[in-house]
Each structure stands twice: as structure tokens, then as C-alpha cells.
Amino acid sequence: VQAIQKVERKIEHFHVSNANLAPISISEINYLVIKEALDDIGYSKYISLEMKRVDDKLRSFEDSVARFSHVFT
């Protein structure tokens, strides 16, 4: 949150990811806090989900997109 506030005028796009690009569906990161920080600075540009491939690609992708959409829309 502090990093977002510090560079708020410089953010052109924002990547949401997990440690080692693991699917966000298994994350313990509180993405709602991040979303609120982005809202607080008036950010309204692109937010992208970034993750690497895992064994169960489709399910992992669907779960991550569902969590991403729940928080960031």
C-alpha cells in the first residue's frame, strides 16, 4: 500500500501476481487492500493478472480469474 501511495502519479499499469507467479487462487495476499489503495489514489487504468503455467492449467486459470474478478471489478 505504501509503495502504491509513493508512486501513485507514475503508475501506468498494474500487475497482480503471487510469489513466484503462482496462481492468485492460492494466495494469502489480501488483494482487496491493494484494490482499495488503487482506488484511494484514483487509479483507473489497466490491471493485469500475471501467473505462470501449472499442471491443472484450466482450473487454475479459472479460479484465479474468478478471484481477480471478484476483487478488481
Coordinates of all heavy atoms in Angstrom, one line a residue:
V1 N 0.8 -1.2 0.0 CA 0.0 0.0 0.0 C 0.9 1.2 0.0 O 0.6 2.2 -0.7 CB -1.0 0.0 1.2 CG1 -1.7 1.3 1.3 CG2 -2.0 -1.1 1.1
Q2 N 1.9 1.3 0.8 CA 2.8 2.4 0.9 C 3.5 2.6 -0.5 O 3.7 3.8 -0.9 CB 3.8 2.3 2.0 CG 3.2 2.3 3.4 CD 4.2 2.0 4.5 OE1 5.2 1.4 4.2 NE2 3.8 2.3 5.7
A3 N 3.9 1.6 -1.1 CA 4.5 1.7 -2.4 C 3.6 2.3 -3.5 O 4.0 3.1 -4.3 CB 5.0 0.3 -2.9
I4 N 2.3 1.9 -3.4 CA 1.3 2.4 -4.3 C 1.2 3.9 -4.1 O 1.2 4.7 -5.0 CB 0.0 1.7 -4.2 CG1 0.1 0.3 -4.7 CG2 -1.1 2.5 -4.9 CD1 -1.1 -0.6 -4.4
Q5 N 1.1 4.3 -2.8 CA 0.9 5.7 -2.5 C 2.2 6.5 -2.9 O 2.0 7.7 -3.4 CB 0.7 5.9 -1.0 CG -0.6 5.3 -0.6 CD -0.8 5.1 0.9 OE1 0.2 5.1 1.7 NE2 -2.0 5.1 1.4
K6 N 3.3 5.9 -2.8 CA 4.6 6.6 -3.1 C 4.7 7.0 -4.5 O 5.3 8.0 -4.9 CB 5.8 5.8 -2.6 CG 7.1 6.5 -2.7 CD 8.2 5.6 -2.2 CE 9.6 6.3 -2.3 NZ 10.6 5.5 -1.7
V7 N 4.3 6.1 -5.4 CA 4.5 6.3 -6.9 C 3.1 6.5 -7.6 O 3.1 6.3 -8.8 CB 5.2 5.1 -7.5 CG1 6.6 4.9 -6.9 CG2 4.4 3.8 -7.3
E8 N 2.1 6.9 -6.9 CA 0.8 7.0 -7.5 C 0.7 7.7 -8.8 O 0.0 7.3 -9.7 CB -0.2 7.6 -6.5 CG 0.0 9.1 -6.2 CD -1.0 9.6 -5.2 OE1 -0.7 9.5 -4.0 OE2 -2.0 10.2 -5.7
R9 N 1.4 8.8 -9.0 CA 1.4 9.5 -10.2 C 2.1 8.9 -11.4 O 1.9 9.2 -12.5 CB 1.9 10.9 -10.0 CG 1.1 11.7 -9.0 CD 1.6 13.2 -9.0 NE 1.4 13.8 -7.7 CZ 0.3 14.4 -7.3 NH1 -0.8 14.3 -8.1 NH2 0.1 15.0 -6.2
K10 N 2.9 7.9 -11.1 CA 3.8 7.2 -12.1 C 3.2 5.9 -12.6 O 3.7 5.4 -13.5 CB 5.2 7.0 -11.5 CG 5.9 8.3 -11.2 CD 7.3 8.0 -10.7 CE 7.9 9.4 -10.3 NZ 9.3 9.2 -9.8
I11 N 2.2 5.4 -11.9 CA 1.6 4.1 -12.3 C 0.9 4.2 -13.6 O -0.1 4.9 -13.7 CB 0.7 3.5 -11.2 CG1 1.5 3.4 -9.9 CG2 0.1 2.2 -11.6 CD1 0.6 2.9 -8.7
E12 N 1.3 3.4 -14.6 CA 0.7 3.4 -15.9 C -0.1 2.1 -16.1 O -1.1 2.1 -16.8 CB 1.7 3.5 -17.0 CG 2.3 4.9 -17.1 CD 1.3 6.0 -17.4 OE1 0.4 5.8 -18.3 OE2 1.4 7.1 -16.8
H13 N 0.3 1.0 -15.5 CA -0.4 -0.2 -15.5 C 0.1 -1.0 -14.2 O 1.1 -0.7 -13.7 CB -0.2 -1.0 -16.8 CG 1.3 -1.4 -17.0 ND1 2.2 -0.6 -17.6 CD2 1.9 -2.5 -16.7 CE1 3.3 -1.2 -17.7 NE2 3.2 -2.4 -17.1
F14 N -0.8 -1.9 -13.8 CA -0.5 -2.6 -12.5 C -0.7 -4.1 -12.7 O -1.7 -4.5 -13.3 CB -1.5 -2.1 -11.5 CG -1.2 -2.4 -10.1 CD1 -0.3 -1.7 -9.3 CD2 -1.7 -3.6 -9.5 CE1 0.1 -2.0 -8.0 CE2 -1.3 -4.0 -8.2 CZ -0.5 -3.2 -7.5
H15 N 0.3 -4.8 -12.3 CA 0.3 -6.3 -12.4 C 0.0 -6.9 -11.1 O 0.6 -6.6 -10.1 CB 1.7 -6.8 -12.9 CG 2.0 -6.5 -14.2 ND1 2.1 -7.4 -15.3 CD2 2.3 -5.3 -14.8 CE1 2.4 -6.8 -16.4 NE2 2.6 -5.5 -16.1
V16 N -1.0 -7.8 -11.1 CA -1.4 -8.6 -9.9 C -0.8 -9.9 -10.0 O -1.0 -10.6 -11.0 CB -2.9 -8.7 -9.7 CG1 -3.3 -9.6 -8.6 CG2 -3.5 -7.3 -9.6
S17 N 0.0 -10.3 -9.1 CA 0.6 -11.7 -9.1 C 0.9 -12.2 -7.7 O 0.6 -11.5 -6.7 CB 1.9 -11.7 -9.9 OG 2.9 -10.8 -9.3
N18 N 1.3 -13.4 -7.6 CA 1.6 -14.0 -6.4 C 3.1 -14.3 -6.4 O 3.8 -14.2 -7.4 CB 0.8 -15.3 -6.3 CG 0.7 -15.8 -4.8 OD1 1.1 -15.2 -3.9 ND2 0.0 -16.9 -4.7
A19 N 3.7 -14.7 -5.2 CA 5.1 -15.0 -5.2 C 5.4 -16.1 -6.2 O 4.6 -17.1 -6.4 CB 5.4 -15.5 -3.7
N20 N 6.5 -16.0 -6.9 CA 6.9 -16.9 -7.9 C 5.9 -17.1 -9.0 O 5.8 -18.1 -9.7 CB 7.3 -18.3 -7.3 CG 8.5 -18.1 -6.3 OD1 9.4 -17.4 -6.6 ND2 8.3 -18.7 -5.2
L21 N 5.0 -16.1 -9.2 CA 4.0 -16.1 -10.2 C 3.0 -17.3 -10.0 O 2.4 -17.8 -11.0 CB 4.5 -16.1 -11.6 CG 5.3 -14.9 -12.0 CD1 5.9 -15.0 -13.4 CD2 4.5 -13.6 -11.9
A22 N 2.8 -17.8 -8.8 CA 1.9 -18.8 -8.5 C 0.5 -18.2 -8.8 O 0.2 -17.0 -8.7 CB 2.0 -19.3 -7.1
P23 N -0.5 -19.1 -9.1 CA -1.9 -18.6 -9.3 C -2.4 -17.9 -8.1 O -2.1 -18.2 -6.9 CB -2.7 -19.9 -9.5 CG -1.7 -20.9 -9.9 CD -0.4 -20.5 -9.3
I24 N -3.1 -16.8 -8.3 CA -3.6 -16.0 -7.2 C -4.7 -16.7 -6.4 O -5.1 -16.3 -5.3 CB -4.0 -14.6 -7.5 CG1 -5.3 -14.5 -8.4 CG2 -2.9 -13.8 -8.2 CD1 -5.9 -13.2 -8.5
S25 N -5.2 -17.8 -7.0 CA -6.3 -18.5 -6.3 C -5.8 -19.2 -5.1 O -6.6 -19.5 -4.2 CB -6.9 -19.6 -7.3 OG -5.9 -20.5 -7.7
I26 N -4.5 -19.3 -4.9 CA -3.9 -20.0 -3.7 C -3.2 -19.0 -2.9 O -2.4 -19.4 -2.0 CB -3.0 -21.2 -4.1 CG1 -1.9 -20.7 -5.0 CG2 -3.8 -22.3 -4.8 CD1 -0.8 -21.8 -5.2
S27 N -3.3 -17.7 -3.1 CA -2.6 -16.7 -2.5 C -3.1 -16.3 -1.1 O -4.3 -16.5 -0.8 CB -2.6 -15.4 -3.3 OG -1.9 -14.4 -2.6
E28 N -2.3 -15.9 -0.2 CA -2.7 -15.4 1.1 C -2.6 -13.9 1.1 O -2.8 -13.3 2.1 CB -1.8 -16.0 2.2 CG -2.1 -17.5 2.3 CD -1.3 -18.1 3.5 OE1 -0.9 -17.4 4.4 OE2 -1.2 -19.3 3.5
I29 N -2.3 -13.3 -0.1 CA -2.2 -11.8 -0.2 C -3.6 -11.3 -0.1 O -4.5 -11.8 -0.8 CB -1.5 -11.4 -1.5 CG1 0.0 -11.9 -1.5 CG2 -1.6 -9.9 -1.7 CD1 0.7 -11.7 -2.8
N30 N -3.8 -10.2 0.6 CA -5.1 -9.6 0.7 C -5.2 -8.6 -0.5 O -4.8 -7.4 -0.4 CB -5.3 -8.8 2.0 CG -6.7 -8.3 2.2 OD1 -7.4 -8.1 1.2 ND2 -7.0 -8.0 3.4
Y31 N -5.7 -9.0 -1.6 CA -5.8 -8.2 -2.8 C -6.9 -7.1 -2.6 O -6.8 -6.0 -3.3 CB -6.2 -9.0 -4.0 CG -5.0 -9.9 -4.4 CD1 -5.0 -11.3 -4.1 CD2 -3.9 -9.4 -5.0 CE1 -3.9 -12.1 -4.4 CE2 -2.8 -10.2 -5.4 CZ -2.8 -11.6 -5.1 OH -1.8 -12.3 -5.4
L32 N -7.8 -7.2 -1.8 CA -8.8 -6.2 -1.5 C -8.1 -4.9 -1.0 O -8.4 -3.8 -1.4 CB -9.9 -6.6 -0.5 CG -11.1 -5.7 -0.4 CD1 -11.7 -5.3 -1.7 CD2 -12.1 -6.3 0.6
V33 N -7.1 -5.1 -0.1 CA -6.4 -3.9 0.4 C -5.6 -3.2 -0.7 O -5.6 -2.0 -0.8 CB -5.4 -4.4 1.5 CG1 -4.4 -3.3 1.9 CG2 -6.1 -4.9 2.7
I34 N -5.1 -4.0 -1.7 CA -4.4 -3.4 -2.8 C -5.4 -2.7 -3.7 O -5.1 -1.5 -4.1 CB -3.7 -4.5 -3.6 CG1 -2.5 -5.1 -2.8 CG2 -3.1 -4.0 -4.9 CD1 -1.9 -6.4 -3.3
K35 N -6.5 -3.3 -3.9 CA -7.6 -2.6 -4.7 C -8.0 -1.3 -4.1 O -8.2 -0.3 -4.7 CB -8.8 -3.6 -4.9 CG -10.1 -3.0 -5.4 CD -9.9 -2.6 -6.9 CE -11.3 -2.3 -7.5 NZ -11.7 -1.0 -7.5
E36 N -8.2 -1.3 -2.8 CA -8.6 -0.1 -2.1 C -7.5 1.0 -2.2 O -7.8 2.2 -2.3 CB -8.9 -0.4 -0.6 CG -10.2 -1.2 -0.5 CD -10.4 -1.8 0.9 OE1 -9.5 -1.7 1.8 OE2 -11.5 -2.3 1.2
A37 N -6.3 0.6 -2.1 CA -5.2 1.6 -2.3 C -5.2 2.2 -3.7 O -5.0 3.4 -3.8 CB -3.8 0.9 -2.0
L38 N -5.4 1.3 -4.7 CA -5.5 1.9 -6.0 C -6.7 2.8 -6.2 O -6.6 3.8 -6.8 CB -5.6 0.7 -7.0 CG -4.3 -0.1 -7.2 CD1 -4.6 -1.4 -8.0 CD2 -3.2 0.7 -7.8
D39 N -7.8 2.4 -5.6 CA -9.0 3.3 -5.6 C -8.7 4.6 -4.9 O -9.1 5.7 -5.4 CB -10.2 2.6 -4.9 CG -10.8 1.5 -5.8 OD1 -10.5 1.4 -7.0 OD2 -11.6 0.7 -5.2
D40 N -8.0 4.6 -3.8 CA -7.7 5.8 -3.0 C -6.9 6.8 -3.8 O -7.0 8.0 -3.6 CB -7.0 5.4 -1.7 CG -7.9 4.8 -0.7 OD1 -9.1 4.8 -0.8 OD2 -7.3 4.2 0.3
I41 N -6.0 6.3 -4.7 CA -5.2 7.2 -5.5 C -5.9 7.6 -6.8 O -5.4 8.3 -7.6 CB -3.8 6.7 -5.7 CG1 -3.8 5.4 -6.6 CG2 -3.1 6.5 -4.4 CD1 -2.4 5.1 -7.1
G42 N -7.1 7.1 -7.0 CA -7.8 7.3 -8.2 C -7.4 6.6 -9.5 O -7.6 7.0 -10.6
Y43 N -6.7 5.5 -9.3 CA -6.2 4.7 -10.4 C -7.3 4.1 -11.1 O -8.2 3.4 -10.6 CB -5.2 3.6 -9.9 CG -4.6 2.8 -11.0 CD1 -3.5 3.3 -11.7 CD2 -5.1 1.6 -11.4 CE1 -3.0 2.6 -12.8 CE2 -4.5 0.9 -12.4 CZ -3.5 1.4 -13.1 OH -2.9 0.7 -14.2
S44 N -7.3 4.3 -12.5 CA -8.4 3.7 -13.3 C -7.9 3.1 -14.6 O -8.6 3.0 -15.6 CB -9.5 4.8 -13.6 OG -8.9 5.9 -14.3
K45 N -6.6 2.8 -14.6 CA -6.0 2.3 -15.9 C -6.0 0.7 -15.8 O -6.8 0.1 -15.1 CB -4.6 2.8 -16.1 CG -4.6 4.4 -16.2 CD -3.2 4.9 -16.4 CE -3.3 6.4 -16.4 NZ -1.9 7.0 -16.4
Y46 N -5.1 0.1 -16.5 CA -5.0 -1.3 -16.7 C -4.5 -2.0 -15.4 O -3.6 -1.6 -14.8 CB -4.2 -1.7 -17.8 CG -4.7 -1.3 -19.2 CD1 -4.2 -0.2 -19.8 CD2 -5.8 -2.0 -19.8 CE1 -4.8 0.2 -21.0 CE2 -6.3 -1.6 -21.0 CZ -5.8 -0.5 -21.6 OH -6.3 -0.1 -22.8
I47 N -5.2 -3.2 -15.1 CA -4.7 -4.1 -14.1 C -4.7 -5.4 -14.7 O -5.7 -5.9 -15.3 CB -5.7 -4.1 -12.9 CG1 -5.8 -2.7 -12.2 CG2 -5.2 -5.1 -11.8 CD1 -6.8 -2.6 -11.1
S48 N -3.5 -6.1 -14.7 CA -3.4 -7.4 -15.3 C -3.0 -8.5 -14.3 O -2.4 -8.2 -13.3 CB -2.4 -7.4 -16.5 OG -1.1 -7.1 -15.9
L49 N -3.5 -9.7 -14.6 CA -3.3 -10.8 -13.8 C -2.1 -11.6 -14.4 O -2.0 -11.8 -15.6 CB -4.5 -11.8 -13.8 CG -4.3 -13.2 -13.2 CD1 -4.0 -13.1 -11.8 CD2 -5.7 -13.9 -13.4
E50 N -1.1 -11.8 -13.6 CA 0.2 -12.4 -14.1 C 0.5 -13.7 -13.3 O 0.5 -13.7 -12.1 CB 1.3 -11.4 -13.9 CG 2.5 -11.8 -14.7 CD 3.5 -10.7 -14.7 OE1 3.4 -9.7 -13.9 OE2 4.5 -10.7 -15.5
M51 N 0.6 -14.8 -14.0 CA 0.9 -16.1 -13.4 C 1.5 -17.0 -14.4 O 1.4 -16.9 -15.6 CB -0.4 -16.7 -12.8 CG -1.5 -17.0 -13.8 SD -3.0 -17.5 -13.0 CE -2.9 -19.3 -13.3
K52 N 2.3 -18.0 -13.8 CA 2.9 -19.0 -14.7 C 2.0 -20.2 -14.8 O 1.1 -20.4 -14.0 CB 4.3 -19.3 -14.3 CG 4.4 -20.0 -13.0 CD 5.9 -20.3 -12.6 CE 6.0 -20.9 -11.2 NZ 7.4 -21.0 -10.9
R53 N 2.3 -21.0 -15.8 CA 1.6 -22.3 -16.0 C 1.8 -23.3 -14.9 O 2.8 -23.4 -14.3 CB 2.1 -22.9 -17.3 CG 1.0 -23.0 -18.4 CD 1.6 -23.8 -19.5 NE 1.7 -22.8 -20.6 CZ 1.9 -23.1 -21.8 NH1 2.1 -24.4 -22.2 NH2 1.9 -22.2 -22.8
V54 N 0.7 -24.0 -14.6 CA 0.7 -25.0 -13.6 C 0.1 -26.3 -14.2 O -0.4 -26.3 -15.3 CB 0.0 -24.6 -12.3 CG1 0.7 -23.5 -11.6 CG2 -1.5 -24.3 -12.6
D55 N 0.2 -27.4 -13.5 CA -0.3 -28.7 -14.1 C -1.7 -28.6 -14.5 O -2.1 -29.0 -15.6 CB -0.1 -29.8 -13.1 CG 1.4 -30.1 -12.8 OD1 2.2 -29.8 -13.7 OD2 1.7 -30.7 -11.8
D56 N -2.6 -28.1 -13.6 CA -4.0 -28.1 -13.9 C -4.3 -26.7 -14.5 O -4.9 -25.9 -13.8 CB -4.8 -28.4 -12.7 CG -6.3 -28.6 -13.0 OD1 -6.7 -28.4 -14.2 OD2 -7.1 -28.9 -12.0
K57 N -3.9 -26.4 -15.7 CA -3.9 -25.1 -16.3 C -5.3 -24.4 -16.3 O -5.5 -23.3 -15.8 CB -3.4 -25.1 -17.7 CG -1.9 -25.4 -17.8 CD -1.5 -25.5 -19.2 CE -1.8 -26.9 -19.7 NZ -0.9 -27.4 -20.7
L58 N -6.3 -25.1 -16.8 CA -7.6 -24.5 -17.0 C -8.3 -24.2 -15.6 O -8.7 -23.1 -15.4 CB -8.5 -25.4 -17.8 CG -9.9 -24.9 -18.1 CD1 -9.8 -23.5 -18.8 CD2 -10.7 -25.8 -19.0
R59 N -8.2 -25.2 -14.7 CA -8.9 -24.9 -13.4 C -8.2 -23.8 -12.7 O -8.8 -23.0 -12.1 CB -8.9 -26.2 -12.6 CG -9.6 -26.0 -11.3 CD -9.6 -27.2 -10.4 NE -10.2 -26.9 -9.1 CZ -11.3 -27.4 -8.7 NH1 -12.0 -28.3 -9.4 NH2 -11.8 -27.1 -7.5
S60 N -6.8 -23.8 -12.7 CA -6.1 -22.8 -12.0 C -6.4 -21.4 -12.6 O -6.5 -20.5 -11.9 CB -4.6 -23.1 -12.1 OG -3.8 -22.1 -11.6
F61 N -6.4 -21.4 -13.9 CA -6.7 -20.1 -14.6 C -8.1 -19.6 -14.2 O -8.3 -18.5 -13.9 CB -6.6 -20.3 -16.1 CG -7.0 -19.1 -16.9 CD1 -6.2 -18.0 -16.9 CD2 -8.2 -19.1 -17.5 CE1 -6.6 -16.9 -17.7 CE2 -8.6 -17.9 -18.3 CZ -7.8 -16.8 -18.3
E62 N -9.1 -20.5 -14.3 CA -10.5 -20.2 -13.9 C -10.6 -19.7 -12.5 O -11.3 -18.7 -12.2 CB -11.4 -21.3 -14.2 CG -11.6 -21.7 -15.7 CD -12.4 -22.9 -15.9 OE1 -12.5 -23.8 -15.0 OE2 -12.9 -23.1 -17.0
D63 N -10.0 -20.4 -11.6 CA -10.0 -20.0 -10.2 C -9.4 -18.6 -10.0 O -9.9 -17.8 -9.2 CB -9.3 -21.0 -9.3 CG -10.1 -22.4 -9.2 OD1 -11.3 -22.4 -9.7 OD2 -9.5 -23.3 -8.7
S64 N -8.2 -18.4 -10.6 CA -7.5 -17.1 -10.4 C -8.3 -16.0 -11.1 O -8.4 -14.9 -10.5 CB -6.1 -17.2 -11.1 OG -5.3 -18.1 -10.3
V65 N -8.9 -16.2 -12.2 CA -9.7 -15.2 -12.9 C -10.9 -14.9 -12.0 O -11.3 -13.7 -11.8 CB -10.1 -15.6 -14.3 CG1 -11.2 -14.7 -14.9 CG2 -8.9 -15.6 -15.2
A66 N -11.5 -15.9 -11.4 CA -12.7 -15.7 -10.6 C -12.3 -14.8 -9.4 O -13.0 -13.8 -9.0 CB -13.3 -17.0 -10.1
R67 N -11.2 -15.1 -8.7 CA -10.7 -14.3 -7.6 C -10.4 -12.9 -8.0 O -10.7 -11.9 -7.4 CB -9.6 -15.0 -6.9 CG -9.1 -14.2 -5.7 CD -8.2 -15.0 -4.8 NE -8.0 -14.2 -3.6 CZ -7.0 -14.5 -2.8 NH1 -6.1 -15.4 -3.0 NH2 -6.8 -13.7 -1.7
F68 N -9.7 -12.8 -9.1 CA -9.3 -11.5 -9.7 C -10.5 -10.6 -10.0 O -10.6 -9.5 -9.5 CB -8.5 -11.7 -10.9 CG -8.0 -10.5 -11.6 CD1 -6.8 -9.9 -11.2 CD2 -8.7 -9.9 -12.7 CE1 -6.4 -8.7 -11.9 CE2 -8.3 -8.8 -13.3 CZ -7.1 -8.1 -12.9
S69 N -11.5 -11.2 -10.6 CA -12.7 -10.5 -11.0 C -13.5 -10.1 -9.8 O -14.1 -9.0 -9.7 CB -13.6 -11.4 -11.9 OG -12.9 -11.7 -13.1
H70 N -13.5 -11.0 -8.8 CA -14.3 -10.7 -7.5 C -13.7 -9.4 -6.9 O -14.5 -8.6 -6.3 CB -14.2 -11.9 -6.6 CG -14.8 -11.6 -5.3 ND1 -16.2 -11.5 -5.1 CD2 -14.3 -11.4 -4.1 CE1 -16.5 -11.3 -3.8 NE2 -15.3 -11.2 -3.2
V71 N -12.4 -9.3 -6.9 CA -11.8 -8.1 -6.2 C -11.7 -6.9 -7.1 O -12.0 -5.8 -6.6 CB -10.3 -8.5 -5.7 CG1 -9.6 -7.3 -5.1 CG2 -10.4 -9.7 -4.7
F72 N -11.3 -7.1 -8.3 CA -10.9 -5.9 -9.2 C -12.0 -5.4 -10.1 O -11.7 -4.6 -11.0 CB -9.6 -6.2 -9.9 CG -8.4 -6.3 -9.0 CD1 -8.0 -7.5 -8.5 CD2 -7.8 -5.1 -8.6 CE1 -6.9 -7.5 -7.7 CE2 -6.7 -5.1 -7.8 CZ -6.2 -6.3 -7.3
T73 N -13.2 -5.9 -10.0 CA -14.3 -5.4 -10.8 C -15.4 -4.7 -10.0 O -15.4 -4.9 -8.8 CB -14.9 -6.4 -11.8 OG1 -15.4 -7.5 -10.9 CG2 -13.9 -6.9 -12.8

